Amino acid sequence: EIRGQAFKNDKKLVKVNIPSNLEYLGGGAFYKCESIREIELPDTLTYMGGEVFYGAKSLEKIRLSNNLPEIRGDSFEYCTSLTSITIPDSVTRIGGHAFYGDSALSEVTFTENSQLTEIGSSAFRMCSSLYEITLPRSTYVNERAFKESPTRVSYFQEYQDDDFYNYGNY
């Protein structure tokens, strides 16, 4: 485990070798670590606290654990160099302010197997480069999730075209 606030405000930290068996990454662990550019989280990670990369303004690339159940509030707030992120299918919730102010974020990728059920308030607020996003149809999107962002939200089709005739409108 890496406890909460472990490297908080370490502005010179550039590279982190994350243990391959990491299970717990505490809240604010890399809060305002302004020099980190890239990080890879192992699939053993099942808990990531809020504000974990808050203000990591040089973070350009991150690989999330394929077993992560949630992206908590403020996790990537003001990660202004982050341009794209793939959300693992295991993530069921993206908390409030999770990607708030990520002005370079232009691509957020979900697969059709995504288990996402909720996107919280201001999760993608002020993401001025995020023009479109495709979500699972059953996802609840807070009315302010994309506030002050130019984002067009679309949804994966729930049924195949052949099913349309069997089930009516979807």
Side-chain angles (χ1 to χ4, degrees), residues 29-48:
F30 296 99
Y31 185 98
K32 290 204 174 177
C33 288
E34 297 177 351
S35 299
I36 291 179
R37 294 190 187 287
E38 185 176 327
I39 201 143
E40 189 166 323
L41 299 173
D43 288 339
T44 53
L45 186 70
T46 56
Y47 179 88
M48 188 173 77

Side-chain angles (χ1 to χ4, degrees), residues 10-73:
D10 188 337
K11 296 183 185 339
K12 294 182 182 181
L13 184 64
V14 175
K15 184 165 174 58
V16 180
N17 293 319
I18 300 290
S20 61
N21 61 347
L22 183 70
E23 296 175 9
Y24 179 97
L25 183 58
F30 296 99
Y31 185 98
K32 290 204 174 177
C33 288
E34 297 177 351
S35 299
I36 291 179
R37 294 190 187 287
E38 185 176 327
I39 201 143
E40 189 166 323
L41 299 173
D43 288 339
T44 53
L45 186 70
T46 56
Y47 179 88
M48 188 173 77
E51 297 184 341
V52 68
F53 293 100
Y54 179 101
K57 66 182 184 180
S58 297
L59 186 65
E60 298 171 353
K61 186 177 179 186
I62 183 154
R63 183 212 176 267
L64 296 173
S65 164
N66 283 318
N67 292 302
L68 196 64
E70 179 177 6
I71 296 174
R72 295 181 184 276

Side-chain angles (χ1 to χ4, degrees), residues 82-94:
L82 189 64
T83 57
S84 68
I85 191 165
T86 298
I87 308 296
D89 291 343
S90 58
V91 172
T92 59
R93 183 176 181 277
I94 296 176

